Amino acid sequence: MSALRPTLDFLLYDWLHAERLDERARFADHSRETFDAVLDTCERIAREKYAPFNRVVDTQEPHFDGEKVILPQATHEAHQAYGESGMLSASQDYEEGGMQLPYTVEAAAGLFFATASVSINSSLLTKGNANLLMVHGTEPQKAVFARNEFAGRFSGTMALSEPQAGSSLSDIATRATPDGTDFESDPLGPRYRLKGNKMWISAGEHELSENIIHLVLAKIPGPDGKLVAGVKGISLFIVPKKLVDTEGQLTGERNDVALAGLNHKLGWRGTTNTLLNFGEGKYPVRGASGGGLDGRGAGAIGYLVGKPGEGLRCMFHMMNEARIGIGLAATALGLAGYYASLDYAKNRPQGRPVGLRPTSRQDTGNDASVVGKDPGQPQVRIIEHADVKRMLLAQKSYCEGALALLLYCARLVDEQHTGTPEAVEEARLLLEVLTPLAKSWPSEFCLEANSLAIQVHGGYGYTRDFPVEQYWRDNRLNMIHEGTHGIQAADLLGRKVVMEGGKGLLLLAQRINATIERAIQQPALAEHANALGQALQKVGAATKAAWATGQATDALANAVPYMQAFGHLVIAWTWLDVLLAVPAASNSPADEGRRRAARYFFHYELPKIGAWLRVVETRDPTCAGMPEEAF
Amino acid sequence: MSALRPTLDFLLYDWLHAERLDERARFADHSRETFDAVLDTCERIAREKYAPFNRVVDTQEPHFDGEKVILPQATHEAHQAYGESGMLSASQDYEEGGMQLPYTVEAAAGLFFATASVSINSSLLTKGNANLLMVHGTEPQKAVFARNEFAGRFSGTMALSEPQAGSSLSDIATRATPDGTDFESDPLGPRYRLKGNKMWISAGEHELSENIIHLVLAKIPGPDGKLVAGVKGISLFIVPKKLVDTEGQLTGERNDVALAGLNHKLGWRGTTNTLLNFGEGKYPVRGASGGGLDGRGAGAIGYLVGKPGEGLRCMFHMMNEARIGIGLAATALGLAGYYASLDYAKNRPQGRPVGLRPTSRQDTGNDASVVGKDPGQPQVRIIEHADVKRMLLAQKSYCEGALALLLYCARLVDEQHTGTPEAVEEARLLLEVLTPLAKSWPSEFCLEANSLAIQVHGGYGYTRDFPVEQYWRDNRLNMIHEGTHGIQAADLLGRKVVMEGGKGLLLLAQRINATIERAIQQPALAEHANALGQALQKVGAATKAAWATGQATDALANAVPYMQAFGHLVIAWTWLDVLLAVPAASNSPADEGRRRAARYFFHYELPKIGAWLRVVETRDPTCAGMPEEAF
């Protein structure tokens, strides 16, 4: 059994009571047994098909041989094993071939893959793509594209960014024009021709599946031929790499989607990342699903999804889950580093514990001579050194805290899908506020955990003979993609805590207070409960102070420190809530570990919010007012 | 001119008054003009021979072809250009062919190389090796080894660590036995035969120079044939890769030093890092400088430096400068990332500034839709975004603060070499306390700066098309080598602040108070001065509280948070002292930049010490008391 499983079991069942989801009609056929069976299967596939090849996909980076993108054989096998597991359609209805699995369990099961090899398989994109089509697509779009994605025949991408626009989607310039006068009558959806360049497209080109289904954001020109400025002009299109007929069979014709380049990345190298050219004429398309030469416009064939101008709304329908997915990946990498460094620390002998008092000797500045050690004694394993314990406990505290928050968010997604109307509304509000934190906090602090995992290994951690340097490189992506740290912070402070009159923030505060009220009745938790209450009060006051002038420029100048403090508040709350699930009388090592990890967070981490909030409260203009020429 | 130069000029001359070093007899022939000439030369060589090849040495990692270690041609050329510059012997006496250059200027000049390509040239090791021999070697050892290193014919290493011992030098097991009955009469020093394995030896094998001079720590067995436990048993030996005669000419015979493996590293790839076997019999040595078959013991020939049992003392004589060198490298990488991201931010258009008030719209969670932006306006350069300014100012504040501290320490080294007896003693005490900080603080916070440089670049920063990901990888080494972070912290709290009755700490406090007293008289600096005074008081109180029980186990359990807080105190002090050199009436952009960077440090960073010191003051046992089975 993996090191992860007992922690996952505790959080899923002892804390979140995921087994009670079977009380919901959608999940009525489920039980802890069926959930465990899913976890067992994923754990096994990850162990057999993912973990052994994590370094392989790092060293055998994707490359283009002039015709095809070449990936290691292991990537093909991992892709296939995942597809065959049924996890692609796990959350779908039974009649769609799915297993109506709760998202909570799907998210938990995904951790086995991500801890084993975060980048070897990009099926989350395929799943997100197909899920989106199931919500916004027409019946033929679902049948031809989504179902073949769930079946593993096709894979999917999300093509949003462009080289000149990056995160600023309002500035995309990919142009979609109606394809002939009959463009609206195509059975696969209103047919357009797309021209433009898309950057940072993960899994944008490979030979893992029969076809690649790109979901592309583009703008339809107005009557004046100009693109509409801003996000309102954006529409969403299905652009398959190879054209298909209404039965989902390949027509044999290639669509005009061309690989313009592979990005060579710091990490996450198991997944190709591409610059794609749409409609540049490399693969001129004669016809579409109807076939035949027709003299219509040039460009890549794309089928409109939803209504014109609603592309971003469709795309961002899936945003909460996508961002929770990033948080899960960051957390999985953090946990992988924690387990690796824990194992190393338990086995590596080096040095001796410190003695009892300082010396005033003039000695050498090297470890061997630090206060009061007896070199006549044998070396101890490094886990016996207090500073190594500190680095391990910090990792545990960060990563298990992040894991708990993410599973809590996943549980809210299930609530949103299956709860009472009131519960659905509450879950929606909580997810609005928590999602930027669920994405950003693990990206920052589980990366820090990976750095500590390197440090525990000493020089060995800096070599490619141990896995931790790769985890650290892989994890560095997560503060960047799916909305950068700065974007998450602006979303949190600029929108989420003020939206709908602050309803989301208020509801979260109620949940936190409910935890405090329960915890304060346990003598062992009262100190934490009081500290959490004070932290909540501070974050609330800072939120008000940030917006005291009503000026976004004032408030958002320190949005990232605000988000860091808010994230620490939420992780502290999560830890305290987790401790409420630990029997007070238990003295099992696992429970002691949870208490210590929580205590670490309350003693070493939570006090940091003071410094972060200080600049928020004062709307400190030091950075925002820095003249460019003074840098 | 490089972006670095004006900052360096300000710190060297306006702040530290390095030009006044010409008042010292040793530096009497120098002046600002000669210093500037050295800086000009180094800046030019770094620009021409280092900077263009920094990525080359990263991608063309050292490899062993079965006979030789292959390095890129650029590495050979950089090595040669550095040797020809005269910088190898710059600090040596005129009669040694040196230029009696102050260390302050040498350290400053070294920054040009390290910002251009930190790992392409490992001459600092050669220099440290030769410097050590100039202090502890015999005349023939100086003539044969050190002078040929200064001349660039030979290069040098420091061979301390072993696979089973790592940082714990008391556990090294390399054995040195007298080589024949006449072992003491060898003109190159008492001759021994060494057997053992040395790990993490940088520049341990290459073809850059005629010969490689290893300085090796080993133990001489006692009369019972056993090695002496602990550091007292350690002696220091010169072990050349190829044997030489008393004229320094190669005898044509190889010494028994064999490459056992290259370490494949996360970064810093321009420098080979090796596992070396000494005396394993791969290159059996018949004779030594005397030559001839003689039936003496097997093993690699080594010549004792200094007295038996004093090896570590000799080696660590150079430790302050070596650790300042690591701090300089970390700082240089931080600065390189700062300049790269500043350049990117000034040129990359993306997004628009935030508007005036929050919206309650339900929108998309993407940057483009954050509060009150007008998509009809053209995109702005990202340096106009407050959060990008924050990330740039943080980098400037970290890296220029670290730079100032390191130049201050370098100036103390010059004081130690040329000051009055009282000044020498003060410099020694200050360096004892400051060196662990000068090494650790930049290693941690200039690494964080590199992460921010990636973040400023967004997705581009995660690719190898931009230099910042390499800086981040290169910099990750610095918390590990030359004594890990944990070792520096134990050195600081376990030894340096308590040694000699706390004299070093007291003296540092006096210096800090002197700065406060000057600053408090300037209205613009009074707030910072007060904050610094409070921080000093807090660190002092925490130091006492940490040791209140007299138990090292209590005090050192939180040595790293202590060091982080102490480092922030010292950088805040450094910034305030730097501001004293800024004319109050100046409104130049550079001076405004210094004020802002200092203010950033006082407002955003210094308040963090509260959280770090809290666990120190309470001797928090959360980590140290964690039972192993609870992880």
Side-chain angles (χ1 to χ4, degrees):
Chain A
M1 193 171 63
S2 72
L4 170 63
R5 188 64 180 270
T7 300
L8 217 44
D9 283 346
F10 175 83
L11 292 175
L12 281 179
Y13 302 120
D14 295 82
W15 181 49
L16 290 177
H17 304 292
E19 72 282 1
R20 292 187 200 156
L21 282 165
D22 67 7
E23 295 161 12
R24 310 288 166 94
R26 181 170 179 81
F27 307 130
D29 292 344
H30 279 292
S31 65
R32 175 156 180 176
E33 284 65 38
T34 63
F35 296 161
D36 283 349
V38 169
L39 296 177
D40 290 344
T41 301
C42 292
E43 191 172 2
R44 180 182 52 74
I45 297 172
R47 186 176 60 242
E48 294 174 357
K49 300 291 186 183
Y50 282 57
F53 308 106
N54 192 43
R55 183 59 82 176
V56 169
V57 299
D58 185 59
T59 51
Q60 295 177 32
E61 225 177 346
H63 72 275
F64 184 60
D65 70 357
E67 198 169 320
K68 291 176 178 174
V69 170
I70 309 297
L71 295 168
Q73 182 58 24
T75 304
H76 289 262
E77 287 170 14
H79 180 89
Q80 189 181 343
Y82 188 87
E84 288 169 357
S85 73
M87 289 306 290
L88 279 166
S89 60
S91 65
Q92 298 301 311
D93 295 351
Y94 293 132
E95 53 263 40
E96 293 289 343
M99 44 176 129
Q100 297 192 183
L101 192 69
Y103 180 62
T104 307
V105 180
E106 187 182 0
L111 285 158
F112 292 111
F113 299 108
T115 51
S117 183
V118 78
S119 73
I120 198 171
N121 185 10
S122 52
S123 293
L124 286 180
L125 282 166
T126 299
K127 207 185 287 191
N129 178 308
N131 281 342
L132 186 154
L133 291 177
M134 292 306 285
V135 175
H136 297 287
T138 62
E139 280 308 318
Q141 288 174 341
K142 292 183 200 177
V144 168
F145 300 109
R147 281 177 201 140
N148 279 312
E149 292 186 79
F150 287 133
R153 267 189 73 206
F154 297 170
S155 57
T157 78
M158 303 281 195
L160 288 72
S161 297
E162 299 182 5
Q164 82 293 348
S167 302
S168 184
L169 292 181
S170 59
D171 294 297
I172 64 168
T174 296
R175 172 184 288 264
T177 48
D179 186 32
T181 50
D182 65 340
F183 77 101
E184 285 188 298
S185 62
D186 196 293
L188 294 179
R191 195 181 60 239
Y192 287 74
R193 294 281 188 154
L194 277 74
K195 285 188 177 184
N197 310 308
K198 290 289 176 180
M199 185 59 163
W200 310 123
I201 311 310
S202 285
E205 182 58 56
H206 55 71
E207 306 292 324
L208 295 166
S209 53
E210 267 186 61
N211 202 357
I212 301 175
I213 310 305
H214 304 288
L215 280 177
V216 180
L217 293 181
K219 291 186 172 182
I220 302 169
D224 60 354
K226 288 187 183 162
L227 300 183
V228 179
V231 297
K232 292 198 177 66
I234 298 175
S235 303
L236 179 65
F237 300 87
I238 297 167
V239 185
K241 172 182 166 183
K242 298 171 184 170
L243 296 176
V244 295
D245 64 21
T246 53
E247 302 300 310
Q249 298 307 310
L250 305 188
T251 65
E253 191 174 18
R254 174 91 192 231
N255 199 358
D256 195 6
V257 183
L259 179 70
L262 293 176
N263 288 310
H264 296 288
K265 291 170 293 175
L266 172 58
W268 210 281
R269 292 184 183 155
T271 304
T272 51
N273 188 273
T274 60
L275 172 60
L276 296 178
N277 288 348
F278 289 83
E280 69 165 3
K282 180 159 183 185
Y283 305 101
V285 187
R286 298 182 306 146
S289 52
L293 271 167
D294 54 7
R296 294 172 310 196
I301 298 281
Y303 307 100
L304 182 70
V305 180
K307 292 181 185 158
E310 298 197 351
L312 215 51
R313 200 180 61 81
C314 294
M315 192 63 104
F316 281 84
H317 181 90
M318 296 294 163
M319 191 43 75
N320 281 349
E321 284 170 60
R323 290 184 170 170
I324 292 170
I326 302 301
L328 284 163
T331 303
L333 286 164
L335 287 165
Y338 169 55
Y339 299 136
S341 59
L342 179 58
D343 184 61
Y344 183 82
K346 284 181 173 175
N347 289 292
R348 166 77 178 174
Q350 193 177 298
R352 288 159 194 82
V354 292
L356 296 184
R357 60 183 62 83
T359 68
S360 57
R361 282 188 296 129
Q362 281 265 50
D363 45 28
T364 61
N366 190 279
D367 175 55
S369 62
V370 165
V371 290
K373 296 180 172 185
D374 177 357
Q377 297 298 312
Q379 298 197 83
V380 301
R381 294 164 310 126
I382 63 171
I383 199 171
E384 299 183 44
H385 297 308
D387 193 53
V388 172
K389 286 190 181 187
R390 182 189 61 82
M391 293 191 280
L392 292 170
L393 191 54
Q395 291 179 67
K396 181 178 171 75
S397 181
Y398 291 153
C399 302
E400 293 184 5
L403 176 60
L405 173 63
L406 286 156
L407 293 175
Y408 182 86
C409 288
R411 183 64 188 74
L412 288 175
V413 170
D414 283 322
E415 201 60 35
Q416 234 189 328
H417 293 160
T418 64
T420 62
E422 191 190 354
V424 167
E425 171 65 4
E426 290 196 359
R428 178 186 72 78
L429 283 168
L430 289 169
L431 280 172
E432 292 280 16
V433 179
L434 290 176
T435 300
L437 301 166
K439 194 273 181 185
S440 67
W441 199 90
S443 300
E444 180 171 357
F445 292 94
C446 296
L447 176 69
E448 178 58 26
N450 286 151
S451 185
L452 291 171
I454 293 174
Q455 195 69 21
V456 169
H457 282 75
Y460 293 98
Y462 198 68
T463 71
R464 301 201 292 276
D465 298 333
F466 287 81
V468 286
E469 62 86 27
Q470 185 184 346
Y471 299 144
W472 188 63
R473 285 187 288 110
D474 286 347
N475 219 346
R476 187 61 188 79
L477 177 61
N478 291 312
M479 276 203 286
I480 299 171
H481 65 165
E482 288 288 352
T484 64
H485 227 47
I487 286 174
Q488 302 301 326
D491 181 43
L492 178 69
L493 181 54
R495 185 184 314 108
K496 298 304 181 61
V497 300
V498 289
M499 68 175 201
E500 303 172 47
K503 266 170 82 174
L505 183 59
L506 189 67
L507 182 61
L508 178 62
Q510 286 168 359
R511 294 282 175 111
I512 294 175
N513 276 321
T515 300
I516 292 172
E517 280 164 30
R518 289 178 60 208
I520 213 149
Q521 293 163 27
Q522 292 191 29
L525 301 184
E527 180 203 316
H528 295 345
N530 284 322
L532 183 63
Q534 286 167 24
L536 175 61
Q537 192 276 330
K538 275 187 202 163
V539 169
T543 310
K544 284 205 186 79
W547 281 111
T549 64
Q551 309 276 318
T553 43
D554 291 345
L556 299 186
N558 295 297
V560 166
Y562 176 82
M563 180 171 73
Q564 290 169 315
F566 204 135
H568 263 48
L569 167 70
V570 163
I571 296 290
W573 163 54
T574 305
W575 265 120
L576 187 58
D577 206 73
V578 165
L579 287 194
L580 289 172
V582 173
S586 165
N587 55 11
S588 77
D591 286 333
E592 175 62 10
R594 289 177 191 113
R595 291 191 196 104
R596 288 265 173 183
R599 197 183 310 156
Y600 177 90
F601 203 84
F602 275 91
H603 288 191
Y604 288 72
E605 294 294 328
L606 189 58
K608 291 180 181 172
I609 70 171
W612 285 319
L613 292 178
R614 190 179 174 281
V615 294
V616 177
E617 286 159 359
T618 58
R619 298 178 298 281
D620 195 304
T622 303
C623 300
M626 176 77 173
E628 181 175 331
E629 63 277 16
F631 278 111
Chain B
M1 193 172 62
S2 73
L4 171 63
R5 188 62 180 272
T7 300
L8 218 43
D9 284 346
F10 175 83
L11 293 174
L12 282 178
Y13 301 120
D14 295 79
W15 181 50
L16 292 177
H17 304 291
E19 73 282 2
R20 293 187 199 156
L21 282 165
D22 67 8
E23 295 162 11
R24 309 287 167 94
R26 181 170 180 82
F27 308 130
D29 292 344
H30 280 289
S31 64
R32 175 156 180 173
E33 283 65 38
T34 63
F35 295 162
D36 283 348
V38 168
L39 296 177
D40 291 343
T41 302
C42 292
E43 192 172 2
R44 180 182 52 74
I45 297 172
R47 186 175 60 241
E48 294 174 357
K49 300 292 186 183
Y50 282 56
F53 309 107
N54 191 44
R55 183 59 82 175
V56 169
V57 299
D58 185 59
T59 51
Q60 295 177 30
E61 224 176 348
H63 72 276
F64 184 61
D65 71 358
E67 199 170 320
K68 290 175 178 176
V69 170
I70 310 296
L71 296 167
Q73 182 58 25
T75 304
H76 290 264
E77 287 170 15
H79 179 89
Q80 190 180 346
Y82 188 87
E84 287 168 2
S85 73
M87 289 305 289
L88 279 166
S89 60
S91 64
Q92 299 301 310
D93 295 351
Y94 292 131
E95 54 264 41
E96 294 289 343
M99 46 177 126
Q100 298 192 182
L101 192 69
Y103 180 62
T104 308
V105 181
E106 188 182 358
L111 285 158
F112 293 111
F113 301 108
T115 50
S117 183
V118 77
S119 74
I120 198 171
N121 185 10
S122 51
S123 293
L124 285 181
L125 282 166
T126 299
K127 208 185 287 191
N129 179 309
N131 281 342
L132 186 153
L133 292 177
M134 293 305 286
V135 175
H136 298 286
T138 62
E139 280 309 316
Q141 288 174 341
K142 293 183 201 176
V144 170
F145 300 109
R147 283 180 198 137
N148 280 312
E149 293 186 77
F150 288 133
R153 268 189 71 205
F154 298 170
S155 57
T157 78
M158 304 281 195
L160 288 73
S161 298
E162 299 182 5
Q164 81 293 348
S167 302
S168 183
L169 292 181
S170 60
D171 295 297
I172 64 167
T174 296
R175 174 184 287 262
T177 49
D179 187 32
T181 50
D182 65 339
F183 78 100
E184 284 188 297
S185 61
D186 196 296
L188 294 179
R191 194 181 59 240
Y192 287 74
R193 294 282 188 152
L194 277 73
K195 285 191 179 183
N197 310 307
K198 290 288 175 180
M199 185 60 164
W200 309 123
I201 311 310
S202 285
E205 181 60 55
H206 54 71
E207 306 291 323
L208 295 167
S209 54
E210 267 185 63
N211 202 357
I212 301 174
I213 311 305
H214 304 287
L215 281 177
V216 180
L217 293 181
K219 290 186 173 182
I220 302 169
D224 60 354
K226 290 187 183 160
L227 301 183
V228 180
V231 297
K232 293 198 176 69
I234 299 175
S235 302
L236 179 65
F237 300 88
I238 297 168
V239 184
K241 172 182 166 183
K242 298 170 184 170
L243 296 177
V244 296
D245 64 21
T246 54
E247 302 301 309
Q249 297 308 310
L250 304 189
T251 64
E253 191 174 19
R254 175 92 191 234
N255 200 358
D256 195 6
V257 183
L259 180 69
L262 294 176
N263 288 309
H264 297 288
K265 292 170 292 175
L266 172 58
W268 210 281
R269 293 184 182 154
T271 304
T272 51
N273 188 274
T274 60
L275 173 59
L276 296 178
N277 288 347
F278 290 83
E280 69 164 4
K282 181 160 184 185
Y283 305 101
V285 187
R286 297 181 307 144
S289 52
L293 271 164
D294 54 7
R296 294 172 311 196
I301 297 282
Y303 306 101
L304 183 69
V305 180
K307 293 182 184 155
E310 297 196 350
L312 216 51
R313 200 181 61 80
C314 295
M315 191 64 104
F316 282 84
H317 182 91
M318 295 295 161
M319 191 43 73
N320 281 348
E321 283 170 60
R323 290 185 169 170
I324 291 170
I326 302 302
L328 284 163
T331 303
L333 285 164
L335 287 165
Y338 169 55
Y339 299 137
S341 59
L342 179 58
D343 184 62
Y344 183 82
K346 283 181 173 175
N347 290 292
R348 166 77 179 175
Q350 193 176 298
R352 289 158 194 83
V354 292
L356 296 184
R357 60 183 62 83
T359 67
S360 57
R361 282 188 295 129
Q362 281 266 50
D363 46 27
T364 62
N366 190 279
D367 175 55
S369 61
V370 165
V371 290
K373 296 180 172 185
D374 178 357
Q377 297 298 314
Q379 299 198 83
V380 301
R381 295 164 311 127
I382 63 171
I383 199 171
E384 299 183 47
H385 297 308
D387 193 53
V388 172
K389 287 190 180 188
R390 181 188 62 82
M391 293 191 282
L392 293 170
L393 191 54
Q395 290 179 65
K396 181 178 172 75
S397 181
Y398 290 153
C399 302
E400 293 185 4
L403 177 60
L405 173 63
L406 286 157
L407 293 175
Y408 182 86
C409 289
R411 182 66 187 73
L412 288 175
V413 171
D414 283 323
E415 201 59 36
Q416 232 188 331
H417 293 161
T418 64
T420 62
E422 192 190 352
V424 167
E425 172 62 5
E426 289 197 358
R428 179 187 71 79
L429 282 169
L430 289 169
L431 280 172
E432 292 281 14
V433 178
L434 290 176
T435 300
L437 301 166
K439 192 271 179 186
S440 67
W441 199 91
S443 301
E444 180 172 356
F445 291 95
C446 297
L447 175 69
E448 179 58 28
N450 287 150
S451 185
L452 291 170
I454 293 174
Q455 196 68 21
V456 168
H457 283 73
Y460 293 99
Y462 198 69
T463 71
R464 300 201 292 275
D465 297 333
F466 287 81
V468 286
E469 62 87 26
Q470 185 183 347
Y471 299 144
W472 188 64
R473 285 187 290 109
D474 286 349
N475 219 347
R476 186 62 188 79
L477 178 61
N478 291 312
M479 276 203 284
I480 299 172
H481 66 166
E482 288 287 350
T484 64
H485 227 47
I487 286 174
Q488 302 301 325
D491 181 41
L492 178 68
L493 181 54
R495 185 185 312 110
K496 297 304 181 59
V497 300
V498 289
M499 68 176 201
E500 301 173 46
K503 266 171 83 175
L505 183 59
L506 189 67
L507 181 60
L508 178 63
Q510 286 168 358
R511 294 284 175 108
I512 294 174
N513 276 320
T515 300
I516 291 171
E517 279 164 30
R518 289 177 60 207
I520 213 148
Q521 294 164 24
Q522 292 191 28
L525 302 183
E527 179 203 317
H528 294 345
N530 284 323
L532 184 62
Q534 286 167 22
L536 175 61
Q537 192 275 329
K538 274 186 202 163
V539 170
T543 310
K544 283 204 186 79
W547 281 110
T549 65
Q551 309 276 318
T553 43
D554 291 345
L556 299 186
N558 295 297
V560 167
Y562 176 81
M563 180 172 71
Q564 290 168 316
F566 203 135
H568 263 48
L569 167 71
V570 163
I571 297 291
W573 163 54
T574 305
W575 265 121
L576 187 58
D577 206 73
V578 165
L579 287 194
L580 288 173
V582 172
S586 165
N587 54 12
S588 78
D591 286 333
E592 175 63 10
R594 288 177 191 111
R595 290 190 197 105
R596 289 266 174 184
R599 196 183 309 158
Y600 177 89
F601 204 85
F602 275 91
H603 288 191
Y604 288 71
E605 294 295 328
L606 189 58
K608 291 180 179 171
I609 70 170
W612 286 319
L613 292 178
R614 189 179 175 280
V615 295
V616 177
E617 287 159 359
T618 57
R619 298 178 298 283
D620 196 305
T622 303
C623 301
M626 175 78 171
E628 181 175 331
E629 63 277 15
F631 279 111

